[in-house]
Amino acid sequence: TIVPNPASTKIQIVADEEIKMVELIDMIGNKVISTNDTVINVSALQNGIYMAVISTENAQIVKKVMIKK
């Protein structure tokens, strides 16, 4: 789960499994953030919809994140 969504300054990834990697990708396909943190500063991102690719030991999950300031 990603909270809050929409977000303006930061998002938090909440998962049952250990998160290995989180990548935020814009709608053009550019990777804008790549981290293994569960709290991510998104204040530098433009308004819009991004895809969060969350990788764990056993799965890769894709969620939509809206940035709205």
Side-chain angles (χ1 to χ4, degrees):
T1 305
I2 299 174
V3 292
N5 195 3
S8 59
T9 57
K10 61 183 168 183
I11 59 173
Q12 181 173 1
I13 312 293
V14 180
D16 294 335
E17 297 181 52
E18 180 185 352
I19 294 171
K20 299 290 185 185
M21 178 67 65
V22 178
E23 297 173 333
L24 287 182
I25 300 169
D26 66 17
M27 296 310 287
I28 302 170
N30 297 319
K31 189 185 305 179
V32 292
I33 294 177
S34 182
T35 183
N36 59 357
D37 293 332
T38 56
V39 177
I40 302 167
N41 181 346
V42 295
S43 61
L45 299 179
Q46 297 291 322
N47 286 350
I49 297 174
Y50 296 80
M51 303 308 287
V53 181
I54 304 161
S55 300
T56 66
E57 187 72 40
N58 300 312
Q60 191 172 60
I61 301 153
V62 179
K63 298 277 190 179
K64 269 197 267 188
V65 179
M66 180 182 284
I67 304 301
K68 186 176 180 184
K69 300 183 181 175

